Amino acid sequence: MNNRAVVIGVGHYLPDRIVPNSHFESFLDTTDAWIKSRSGIERRHFAADGQGTSDLAARAAKAALENAGLDANDLDAIVLATSTADLTFPSAATMVQNEIGMTRGFAFDVQAVCAGFVYALSNANALIVSGQAKRVMVIGAETFSRIMDWTDRGTCVLFGDGAGALILEAQENTGETTDRGILSVDLNSDGRYRDILYVDGGVATQNTGFLRMQGKEVFRHAVEKLAATAETALEKAGLTSEDVDWIVPHQANLRIIKATATKMGLPMEKVIVTVQDHGNTSAASIPLALSVGVAKNQIKPGDLIVTEAIGGGLAWGSVALRW
Ligand code: UT7
């Protein structure tokens, strides 16, 4: 018998303020039509003044606990993926731990930008498989609206705020791919590409800075690397794309999502798409899409899901799991 990390709860939170593409037409040389046709984005949510990433994360965490029928102290750990933690330290994860009333275990952040949730899942899986934790809350949460340069039409129209959370539990099973849980992980990074997607501030500059992106270059890497990492994750699990029920991609650009599905030989009917409603929420996009997919009755227990993401670093990766 093997211990596998099985999803037992899911939830999400989106801030109340919904911002349509037309909002940007009033102060930028842009149009709803351009944003929609180049990215697939129609609207996004922005956090309220004073509402930090940890606040969004805690609300998603509470929703996941309710979905699982658990109390915060039933958790052993929180792994939170974010690049927009409220403060330099402490971690957003420990703030969430406090906010949800969890007074035991441990909590930490993972920073792998848009690939953050895949990295966090990998960390949580390792904690469970190694026996260090039995139940782990995995959260992706971001407030990218706080690092936008509102004069840069090439970036500020693309991103949004939100949070999603999963609860993983150690469950014994036979080790077959038909059993539930995380089946395989593929992680990659290449620091040579730091300059095509980064934030120009931080501890070194003593200010928070703004997101800078060479969109076309990132697009090229995304199309090349996402299908490859997803196929590697499937291969590691002993599966192929024919076994996939749902691709749950990082939601950056509908054109990237479609190109990746095409490369994998999968129809768009097998892809969860939320980019039109959320924009690019970086590390929050995959758990948001999973939670929305479950709420819409698309994702069902036993489905084979492949997540894939790429972002600043560059960092990219994929997780294959049986829901
Ligand atoms: O989540 C992390 C990973 N990030 C991504 O995966 C994002 C990857 N990149 C992309 O999604 C796309 O590259 C973008 C959506 C950012 C841009 O789409 P694109 O088709 O690559 O457009 P482009 O950057 O080549 O720009 C085309 C034109 C340019 O004008 P010229 O040089 O052709 O005259 C831009 O200046 O569109 C212009 N442009 C805009 N026009 C209206 C750029 N932003 C805008 C805008 N509105 N907001």
Side-chain angles (χ1 to χ4, degrees):
M1 298 294 263
N2 299 314
N3 250 352
R4 207 176 258 173
V6 175
V7 177
I8 58 162
V10 60
H12 71 271
Y13 174 75
L14 289 158
D16 291 339
R17 185 177 167 212
I18 299 173
V19 178
N21 289 344
S22 56
H23 164 78
F24 298 96
E25 293 176 343
S26 64
F27 62 95
L28 283 173
D29 181 14
T30 190
T31 59
D32 170 46
W34 190 95
I35 300 169
K36 223 185 290 181
S37 67
R38 296 297 176 113
S39 71
I41 297 165
E42 295 173 29
R43 59 194 72 81
R44 74 287 291 139
H45 294 244
F46 283 163
D49 287 346
Q51 194 176 32
T53 291
S54 66
D55 180 68
L56 273 48
R59 288 171 190 248
K62 285 176 186 169
L65 284 171
E66 197 180 321
N67 180 251
L70 292 176
D71 181 78
N73 283 315
D74 294 326
L75 301 171
D76 298 317
I78 298 173
V79 183
L80 194 160
T82 190
S83 304
T84 48
D86 308 36
L87 301 174
T88 304
F89 72 80
S91 66
T94 53
M95 293 187 188
V96 171
Q97 185 185 24
N98 180 51
E99 183 62 31
I100 65 174
M102 178 182 165
T103 52
R104 59 182 300 278
F106 59 95
F108 61 95
D109 288 356
V110 166
Q111 209 272 49
V113 203
C114 297
F117 192 75
V118 169
Y119 274 63
L121 271 183
S122 167
N123 270 268
N125 183 51
L127 289 171
I128 285 174
V129 170
S130 65
Q132 288 181 79
K134 280 210 165 75
R135 283 201 199 103
V136 183
M137 172 83 77
V138 191
I139 309 172
E142 304 279 13
T143 47
F144 262 51
S145 63
R146 302 265 149 71
I147 52 167
M148 290 296 107
D149 173 352
W150 302 111
T151 66
D152 179 9
R153 67 178 182 168
T155 56
C156 75
V157 302
L158 302 173
F159 293 87
D161 303 337
L166 297 187
I167 301 173
L168 297 174
E169 182 180 72
Q171 289 183 9
E172 280 196 350
N173 65 32
T174 60
E176 298 295 320
T177 54
T178 46
D179 287 341
R180 296 182 62 209
I182 292 183
L183 304 176
S184 63
V185 175
D186 181 57
L187 299 183
N188 311 269
S189 66
D190 190 336
R192 287 175 298 175
Y193 298 111
R194 96 164 219 169
D195 290 340
I196 65 172
L197 180 50
Y198 66 104
V199 170
D200 63 2
V203 172
T205 59
Q206 297 187 46
N207 63 23
T208 318
F210 298 112
L211 183 145
R212 306 294 176 199
M213 177 167 75
Q214 294 173 31
K216 247 191 175 28
E217 271 302 289
V218 177
F219 192 102
R220 197 174 60 76
H221 283 284
V223 170
E224 173 197 312
K225 294 181 166 61
L226 287 173
T229 185
E231 273 159 6
T232 302
L234 282 167
E235 201 179 301
K236 285 182 181 178
L239 298 166
T240 71
S241 52
E242 283 177 17
D243 299 303
V244 173
D245 293 300
W246 294 106
I247 297 278
V248 184
H250 168 48
Q251 311 281 324
N253 186 315
L254 186 58
R255 291 187 293 142
I256 295 173
I257 292 171
K258 283 183 174 166
T260 305
T262 301
K263 274 198 166 190
M264 293 181 71
L266 290 168
M268 284 304 287
E269 289 71 37
K270 291 197 169 195
V271 186
I272 303 280
V273 181
T274 54
V275 70
Q276 71 283 359
D277 296 326
H278 302 166
N280 182 346
T281 58
S282 190
S285 87
I286 288 175
L288 271 167
L290 286 168
S291 186
V292 168
V294 169
K296 284 189 172 169
N297 228 9
Q298 294 172 295
I299 297 172
K300 299 201 179 60
D303 282 354
L304 182 75
I305 291 175
V306 176
T307 64
E308 30 92 346
I310 186 166
L314 293 175
W316 68 102
S318 175
V319 170
L321 71 151
R322 181 78 61 189
W323 192 260

